[in-house]
Amino acid sequence: MKSILIEIGELSYFAGRFFREVGKRPFEYKEFLRQCYNMGNRSLLLVGITGFIIGLVFTLQSRPTLQEFGAVSWMPSMVGISIIREIGPIITALICAGRIGSGIGAELGSMRVTEQIDAMEVSGTNPFKYLVVTRILATTLMLPILVVLSDAIALYGSYLVENLKGDVSFQLYFNEVFGSLEFGDIIPSTVKSFFFGFAIGVVGCFKGYTCGKGTEGVGRAANAAVVYTSMVLFILDFLAVLVSDIFYDL
Amino acid sequence: MEDLSIKKPVITIRNLYKRFGDNAVLNGFDMDLFEGENLVIMGKSGSGKSVMIKCLIGLEEHDSGTINVMGKDIDDLEAEELDELRTEIGFLFQGSALYDSMSVRENLEFPLRRHTKKFGVIKDAEPLVMEALESVGLAKAIDLMPDELSGGMKRRIALARTLILKPSIILYDEPTTGLDPITSKEIVQLMQKVQQQYKTSSIIITHDVDCARAIANRMILLIDGKNYAEGSFDTLRKNHDPKIQAFFK
């Protein structure tokens, strides 16, 4: 229990340091853009395929039940709301935790054990700003973009099933989807995607930057980055649902 | 041995203490590095040599004692002043510590582009990069990635990256460890060449007796985190103290 509390304290301090450093000059634009490109580009295919399959499977599995109740016409609304409010953000975040979070943990961990971070500091560069701030900003910015993309592909997957099984046109399907969505569905899910991206960046960087000695330390950092991030994502998701429910009630 | 009383110390360490938990690594270490001197520090693994040079450059915080580099007490320096001072101190890491996501060219340009105070804004870094690479005899490796280099080449490139900032002090952390005897000899010759060409003062942390013999103007033997003996290579080698003799066997 004590070690968990210490870990939480250290993680909070690390996140606090990010906020202290983020506004200081020099701004590492090039590295930030490089990280955005790497994270977005490398995750694009995986996020796209996963989103497409989720859209297909979700619709295929829901269809018989809705048919039983004569409510197939509700399919676009149900799929749209479920994907945009919950499934899209959390699944995309979990995939990125595995792909991006573990990558950051392993990369920074390996830089720590091979003294590359020390070399950077000795050469007069603030490694926290160069390596950590840029990565956290990149994950925070890129995750919502990936979520929007994943949502769109998942809805397209769902439309394909509906088109094949129910002969629903593209226009009708997406009119139904957007007709049922409100700002109250889109805004909370977009806001929480920023928090998910921030969590992936902070936890991945924290585990890598504070990695223990040796190759074992690097392995542990990469593994812990995924496990801890996944846990933090579910906690954040729960909090986001609580907060958005309060706004719904108002 | 030269008369050091007429030379100016560029680094002075007094009464340096550092512990990690219950493990006292440095126990009142003292040292002077004089201008143009090659000072070799030998000690067993875990005797605090690497920790000492990391304290010297501010990578580790010492518990107590004073470290004065080129007239500046490093405890009194702000982060920006410490960064500026670091441009005067080159550090050759034991594992070379080349940035593995960057090519050799980018590795060398990286420190150069960040020290605009010392060099101004550099539009074309190529001549400076080539000069540093030529001084270590590896101009052809400019576009290679670190994983395409051998251990000896990595050490040379790391030295070139250190030299590009034209430091007046170079700290070598076990420069020949992990290299075969021929490559080790080449690295030692290169260190001598660098010292003559750039007129640097150097601290060399090593276990390698051949390296110490070739390069040391003066040596300090470190036992249990403090100075055990000090003198020239020949003086120490002829000493009959078994603890000193153990270093030369």
Side-chain angles (χ1 to χ4, degrees), chain B residues 137-184:
Chain B
L138 277 178
K140 281 182 184 170
I142 188 161
D143 289 316
L144 295 180
M145 294 300 285
D147 60 7
E148 295 173 287
L149 305 170
S150 68
M153 286 166 89
K154 278 185 188 168
R155 221 55 70 91
R156 282 165 180 261
I157 300 292
L159 185 55
R161 187 177 64 182
T162 303
L163 292 174
I164 206 160
L165 289 177
K166 307 221 181 314
S168 39
I169 301 165
I170 302 184
L171 312 177
Y172 297 91
D173 189 4
E174 307 202 13
T176 57
T177 299
L179 301 177
D180 62 82
I182 297 167
T183 313
S184 295

Side-chain angles (χ1 to χ4, degrees), chain B:
Chain B
M1 211 160 93
E2 289 177 84
D3 180 11
L4 296 172
S5 60
I6 53 168
K7 287 207 166 187
K8 203 171 87 181
V10 284
I11 296 178
T12 306
I13 295 177
R14 291 287 174 269
N15 231 5
L16 194 68
Y17 284 85
K18 173 74 187 171
R19 61 167 53 241
F20 294 101
D22 294 334
N23 181 22
V25 179
L26 293 170
N27 278 311
F29 178 74
D30 293 318
M31 188 202 84
D32 287 300
L33 174 72
F34 295 94
E35 214 173 331
E37 178 189 33
N38 285 332
L39 172 65
V40 169
I41 298 179
M42 284 179 95
K44 285 195 295 185
S45 296
S47 61
K49 311 178 298 290
S50 296
V51 172
M52 186 277 292
I53 50 170
K54 285 188 175 171
C55 288
L56 181 56
I57 202 157
L59 285 175
E60 291 279 0
E61 278 184 33
H62 53 277
D63 297 336
S64 63
T66 57
I67 300 174
N68 192 293
V69 181
M70 301 173 83
K72 291 171 183 166
D73 189 327
I74 68 157
D75 291 328
D76 297 338
L77 299 178
E78 296 293 326
E80 208 171 291
E81 293 170 318
L82 184 60
D83 280 346
E84 220 170 296
L85 183 65
R86 281 169 173 164
T87 63
E88 297 298 333
I89 309 170
F91 195 124
L92 187 75
F93 287 86
Q94 193 176 340
S96 304
L98 295 177
Y99 309 127
D100 47 23
S101 60
M102 299 181 196
S103 68
V104 167
R105 181 197 300 274
E106 289 164 333
N107 261 282
L108 267 72
E109 283 179 357
F110 189 84
L112 206 55
R113 296 205 184 278
R114 271 147 205 289
H115 287 291
T116 47
K117 269 192 186 170
K118 188 170 178 177
F119 297 100
V121 178
I122 294 166
K123 284 185 182 161
D124 183 14
E126 178 101 6
L128 289 166
V129 170
M130 284 310 289
E131 184 195 329
L133 285 175
E134 273 161 13
S135 66
V136 298
L138 277 178
K140 281 182 184 170
I142 188 161
D143 289 316
L144 295 180
M145 294 300 285
D147 60 7
E148 295 173 287
L149 305 170
S150 68
M153 286 166 89
K154 278 185 188 168
R155 221 55 70 91
R156 282 165 180 261
I157 300 292
L159 185 55
R161 187 177 64 182
T162 303
L163 292 174
I164 206 160
L165 289 177
K166 307 221 181 314
S168 39
I169 301 165
I170 302 184
L171 312 177
Y172 297 91
D173 189 4
E174 307 202 13
T176 57
T177 299
L179 301 177
D180 62 82
I182 297 167
T183 313
S184 295
K185 205 172 170 187
E186 285 171 4
I187 294 289
V188 172
Q189 284 167 352
L190 187 60
M191 287 159 65
Q192 288 170 320
K193 186 184 144 197
V194 163
Q195 206 257 340
Q196 283 158 8
Q197 193 177 339
Y198 292 86
K199 309 284 176 222
T200 52
S201 317
S202 311
I203 296 176
I204 301 114
I205 304 286
T206 188
H207 290 117
D208 183 346
V209 177
D210 293 331
C211 168
R213 181 190 293 120
I215 207 158
N217 299 123
R218 191 162 57 95
M219 290 178 68
I220 292 177
L221 302 184
L222 194 64
I223 296 180
D224 297 331
K226 54 187 172 189
N227 316 45
Y228 186 78
E230 190 173 331
S232 69
F233 182 88
D234 289 331
T235 317
L236 291 174
R237 197 184 53 179
K238 286 172 192 162
N239 193 305
H240 295 295
D241 183 335
K243 280 188 176 177
I244 296 176
Q245 277 306 305
F247 284 95
F248 297 95
K249 280 176 184 167

Side-chain angles (χ1 to χ4, degrees), chain A residues 25-26 28 30-31 34 107 110-112 114-127 130 135 213, chain B residues 54 57-59 83 86-87 89-91 93-102 110-111 114-115 161 165 173:
Chain A
R25 284 175 185 279
E28 306 284 357
K30 275 189 186 170
E31 181 61 11
R34 196 175 74 88
E107 187 186 7
S110 130
M111 287 185 80
R112 170 64 73 198
T114 55
E115 296 181 309
Q116 290 177 54
I117 293 179
D118 286 344
M120 206 168 266
E121 196 164 347
V122 167
S123 74
T125 302
N126 178 346
Y130 188 82
R135 278 165 175 76
K213 294 276 178 195
Chain B
K54 285 188 175 171
I57 202 157
L59 285 175
D83 280 346
R86 281 169 173 164
T87 63
I89 309 170
F91 195 124
F93 287 86
Q94 193 176 340
S96 304
L98 295 177
Y99 309 127
D100 47 23
S101 60
M102 299 181 196
F110 189 84
R114 271 147 205 289
H115 287 291
R161 187 177 64 182
L165 289 177
D173 189 4

